[in-house]
Amino acid sequence: MGVGSSHSLPNKTCSSAFTATVYPHQSPPSFSFNPNTFVFQRPCKRATTQLSFPWSSSSSFVPLSSGKVDQVETQVGSAVRAMCDFQGIDEELLQRMVYDALVWSSLHGLVVGDRTVKFKLQRSGTVPGVGMVHAPFALLPMPFPESHWQQACELTPIFNELVDRVSLDGKFLQEALSRTKKVDSFTSRLLDIHSKMQEMNKKEEIRLGLHRSDYMLDEQTKLLLQIELNTISSSFPGLSCLVTELHRSLLNHHRKHLGLDSKMIPGNKSVTQFAEALAKAWKEYNNPRALVMFVVQTEERNMYDQHCLSTVLKDRYPFESFQTAPTRTTEKYIYGNSYLESLERYFPQLYNTHDVTAIRKTLAEIDAEGKLLPDGTLTVGGQPVSVVYFRAGYAPTDYPSESEWRARLLMEQSSAVKCPSISYHLAGTKKIQQELAKPKILERFFENKDDIAKLRKCFAGLWGLDDSNIIKDAIERPEFFVMKPQREGGGNNIYGNDVRETLLRLQKEGTEEDAAYILMQRIFPTVSPTFLMRDGICHRDNAISELGIYGAYLRNKEKVIINEQSGYLMRTKVSSSNEGGVAAGFAVLDSIYLT
């Protein structure tokens, strides 16, 4: 979250009509939960930006039964209409809701590793059950128009197919990222691996994508605009489901006072649908002894989201074993026995179900334990791997040495199903997103004009830094742009005056470093009052949200096995914040309330 941030840029032709003024704003109070009393904490004042254009107050939200909806002065606008009257929620009700939410989170596993817990041998990011704290979440769901919800869901299969088609066009990927490669060492290493796969004529017959397309709803234009398309390590399929259930529980338990219908929160089955996609990819690989391998970071506070997925994978997907015997080569190299002995190991499985087994390995561990057999089979610790699911490998920090890069190359060279493959990974970069927004580029991959129109409708303004007119505009009015490098994970983008200073520096230096960035219009979403829960403390503030729609895509040669929308992730942050990743500490998990 935060790639498009909390603001929106109008079309360049009318951007001169927008001005910004800074005014002081008294932040709402926050409180830390106490079972007997409330302790309010008032943050210090902060300057915020007010835009001159009018904000609409026509959205149809459900009011709290015990109070009226008041006009609320917000940090980026003059008025918003709340789903319910947050001023009308008295302290006693709020205290009960906070207590219920914290108990529910603890009982149902809505937790992350506590970053403040640091033991010498036991760390919250490495040892399950050590130093847990509730995941940051919003106390109540965020209102969202049903029509835009449907639009986002309908876009998902189209984006899934787009990623697959772009991934198959190696020439397009290499050419589009050629300038970026010269100045971005991380992207360069990824492209080198991609080039090696092309030289080997490596074909990914089974292709699996677990994506997430992130959107913000622009307040002025009422358009749903895409922030980015994530093709690697699309996080929170597990915890997002839990937040949905938490909110339904709170709305049901406190319905008399809130007057909200839990049925208006859409169901969220992202964890089961992602698990199903992984299981079906495992089945397509056609080796019942092979494992699904989660590639993880050395320390991972978000491990419980990952364990949600691996647990569902193990518990829900026992398969009848396959009807084809293993090849002589594969069994020989795995077991070192005769083919007949291998068959004796295999045939008893024909009459039983076979569970999908998942393991967790870091890139360094894969380098140390991994081997590539002559037939292309990847083994780790002597066990064959059928599916590689990346929850790491998306940032330069995941590759501190050559060991990690060797592991990435090893996996790409293997016959294992990669989620994502190197080409899927590159298809999700910011530069490719910008290239796809250019005129006539989508026509390279699609013939269906309706699909092309649907995609273009959700594209925000995207430009390369070779566009002198846009550069001039961004220097003059940096508040309407976001400068984005080829990075994932939050905390990487450039905003405000830093955009101007960076662009002026790049012009002065005259290097090709500008190829490492793209410019994106800054989106101004609706602001709503909400309660944000973090570390047991409830903060009352004005917030904005970003909707992520998960998508699953599985293909074996010409047969598309899965292409579907697979749940959602809502993330909410204080409206004055630029960045917004939950794992990065900027946002909280949320769900949506359809209006």
Side-chain angles (χ1 to χ4, degrees):
M1 183 175 177
V3 176
S5 189
S6 57
H7 305 283
S8 153
L9 174 71
N11 291 333
K12 183 177 183 295
T13 55
C14 62
S15 61
S16 60
F18 297 87
T19 60
T21 59
V22 177
Y23 72 100
H25 176 74
Q26 180 66 47
S27 300
S30 62
F31 70 88
S32 57
F33 176 76
N34 184 298
N36 299 310
T37 62
F38 275 88
V39 180
F40 283 85
Q41 302 172 342
R42 183 172 296 277
C44 60
K45 293 182 179 181
R46 57 172 171 255
T48 55
T49 302
Q50 180 182 14
L51 300 174
S52 62
F53 56 84
W55 293 87
S56 169
S57 60
S58 60
S59 301
S60 176
F61 299 142
V62 181
L64 184 72
S65 59
S66 59
K68 67 183 190 302
V69 177
D70 296 323
Q71 191 177 72
V72 181
E73 187 172 52
T74 72
Q75 295 176 341
V76 291
S78 60
V80 295
R81 190 180 295 273
M83 178 180 69
C84 59
D85 181 8
F86 279 65
Q87 304 301 324
I89 299 179
D90 60 42
E91 293 182 5
E92 182 179 355
L93 173 59
L94 192 56
Q95 181 176 0
R96 292 200 305 269
M97 291 174 59
V98 168
Y99 185 85
D100 290 347
L102 292 175
V103 170
W104 194 100
S105 299
S106 301
L107 294 178
H108 292 82
L110 182 54
V111 295
V112 294
D114 187 350
R115 70 178 65 198
T116 65
V117 178
K118 297 276 187 181
F119 297 110
K120 184 176 181 180
L121 297 176
Q122 294 181 326
R123 295 177 181 270
S124 62
T126 56
V127 182
V130 173
M132 293 183 295
V133 66
H134 73 84
F137 62 86
L139 191 61
L140 291 170
M142 185 63 68
F144 198 83
E146 186 172 4
S147 59
H148 290 96
W149 159 254
Q150 293 293 341
Q151 178 190 356
C153 292
E154 292 170 2
L155 281 167
T156 305
I158 308 175
F159 273 117
N160 288 344
E161 188 66 40
L162 178 62
V163 170
D164 188 65
R165 296 185 184 186
V166 170
S167 75
L168 297 176
D169 195 336
K171 182 180 179 182
F172 172 76
L173 289 173
Q174 288 286 336
E175 290 180 352
L177 292 164
S178 59
R179 288 192 67 236
T180 305
K181 180 178 182 178
K182 297 177 182 178
V183 293
D184 187 322
S185 59
F186 179 65
T187 303
S188 177
R189 294 297 296 266
L190 296 176
L191 284 168
D192 286 344
I193 294 176
H194 181 259
S195 295
K196 290 178 181 177
M197 298 305 103
Q198 286 186 302
E199 292 169 4
M200 293 171 54
N201 198 28
K202 180 74 166 57
K203 303 294 184 183
E204 298 292 335
E205 294 183 342
I206 305 174
R207 302 191 293 277
L208 173 63
L210 297 178
H211 310 140
R212 194 187 69 236
S213 183
D214 295 333
Y215 304 91
M216 278 184 172
L217 181 57
D218 181 56
E219 172 64 21
Q220 188 217 5
T221 63
K222 305 302 180 187
L223 291 176
L224 186 74
L225 299 178
Q226 186 187 52
I227 304 301
E228 64 179 346
L229 179 60
N230 302 277
T231 60
I232 182 170
S233 188
S234 298
S235 60
F236 295 111
L239 298 191
S240 63
C241 297
L242 292 176
V243 174
T244 299
E245 294 307 312
L246 166 64
H247 286 165
R248 285 180 165 180
S249 176
L250 290 174
L251 265 57
N252 284 331
H253 190 65
H254 299 283
R255 183 171 183 176
K256 177 180 178 181
H257 302 284
L258 295 175
L260 300 174
D261 185 358
S262 64
K263 295 179 181 178
M264 299 307 293
I265 300 177
N268 193 354
K269 298 182 179 179
S270 52
V271 69
T272 57
Q273 289 179 273
F274 268 26
E276 179 184 17
L278 287 167
K280 288 187 175 180
W282 175 88
K283 187 176 182 180
E284 290 296 316
Y285 188 80
N286 200 20
N287 183 348
R289 297 185 181 280
L291 309 174
V292 174
M293 182 170 67
F294 284 46
V295 182
V296 298
Q297 294 175 332
T298 304
E299 291 191 16
E300 178 57 83
R301 293 181 61 245
N302 194 29
M303 72 169 76
Y304 303 103
D305 177 63
Q306 300 167 7
H307 283 301
C308 284
L309 185 54
S310 60
T311 299
V312 172
L313 185 64
K314 177 180 66 176
D315 291 346
R316 292 202 178 193
Y317 295 99
F319 283 102
E320 292 294 335
S321 291
F322 303 84
Q323 301 304 309
T324 57
T327 65
R328 293 176 180 269
T329 304
T330 300
E331 290 294 331
K332 177 182 177 182
Y333 280 96
I334 292 176
Y335 301 113
N337 299 319
S338 70
Y339 185 57
L340 288 178
E341 289 174 329
S342 298
L343 291 180
E344 289 173 359
R345 291 173 177 262
Y346 180 84
F347 276 124
Q349 300 293 331
L350 291 175
Y351 306 100
N352 299 301
T353 58
H354 197 98
D355 293 334
V356 181
T357 301
I359 60 172
R360 295 167 60 84
K361 295 289 182 181
T362 65
L363 287 167
E365 289 172 334
I366 295 167
D367 178 53
E369 303 174 23
K371 291 183 179 180
L372 189 64
L373 303 186
D375 69 344
T377 299
L378 172 68
T379 67
V380 175
Q383 297 176 296
V385 174
S386 58
V387 181
V388 177
Y389 173 51
F390 285 91
R391 290 298 293 263
Y394 54 84
T397 52
D398 290 332
Y399 302 85
S401 70
E402 286 301 309
S403 173
E404 289 77 14
W405 285 111
R406 286 195 300 267
R408 184 66 186 269
L409 177 60
L410 180 74
M411 290 182 285
E412 291 298 331
Q413 290 173 325
S414 77
S415 61
V417 182
K418 274 77 69 176
C419 181
S421 65
I422 191 68
S423 56
Y424 267 43
H425 186 169
L426 292 170
T429 57
K430 306 297 187 296
K431 182 60 181 177
I432 295 300
Q433 180 187 9
Q434 180 252 314
E435 288 289 323
L436 291 172
K438 288 182 176 180
K440 304 297 183 182
I441 298 298
L442 285 178
E443 286 80 357
R444 179 170 179 160
F445 303 102
F446 283 116
E447 295 180 359
N448 188 307
K449 293 182 179 179
D450 289 338
D451 288 345
I452 292 172
K454 289 176 182 178
L455 292 176
R456 284 221 172 94
K457 184 179 179 181
C458 77
F459 284 171
L462 293 160
W463 305 275
L465 269 64
D466 53 354
D467 188 326
S468 58
N469 290 328
I470 289 297
I471 297 302
K472 179 181 178 182
D473 198 19
I475 291 174
E476 293 175 354
R477 266 195 297 262
E479 66 272 19
F480 294 114
F481 294 85
V482 180
M483 199 168 172
K484 299 163 57 175
Q486 313 302 310
R487 295 292 181 268
E488 305 293 339
N492 300 300
N493 300 322
I494 301 172
Y495 300 87
N497 286 331
D498 290 339
V499 172
R500 175 190 290 119
E501 293 176 4
T502 303
L503 290 174
L504 289 173
R505 177 182 63 81
L506 291 174
Q507 284 187 338
K508 182 179 180 180
E509 293 175 353
T511 66
E512 292 187 287
E513 187 186 345
D514 60 345
Y517 300 92
I518 67 166
L519 279 172
M520 179 177 176
Q521 78 174 76
R522 199 168 181 178
I523 301 172
F524 294 83
T526 302
V527 177
S528 299
T530 193
F531 297 104
L532 308 175
M533 293 292 304
R534 186 183 292 276
D535 297 325
I537 300 174
C538 184
H539 305 268
R540 188 198 311 255
D541 215 323
N542 292 319
I544 58 173
S545 296
E546 182 175 316
L547 174 65
I549 301 293
Y550 294 111
Y553 187 89
L554 177 62
R555 187 183 192 118
N556 191 343
K557 298 180 182 178
E558 299 304 314
K559 181 183 178 182
V560 177
I561 300 164
I562 299 175
N563 184 13
E564 62 187 12
Q565 181 263 344
S566 304
Y568 69 97
L569 168 69
M570 193 70 158
R571 287 169 294 174
T572 294
K573 64 177 182 179
V574 175
S575 57
S576 59
S577 172
N578 285 327
E579 296 288 356
V582 176
F586 301 108
V588 302
L589 299 170
D590 207 342
S591 69
I592 67 176
Y593 190 94
L594 297 178
T595 60

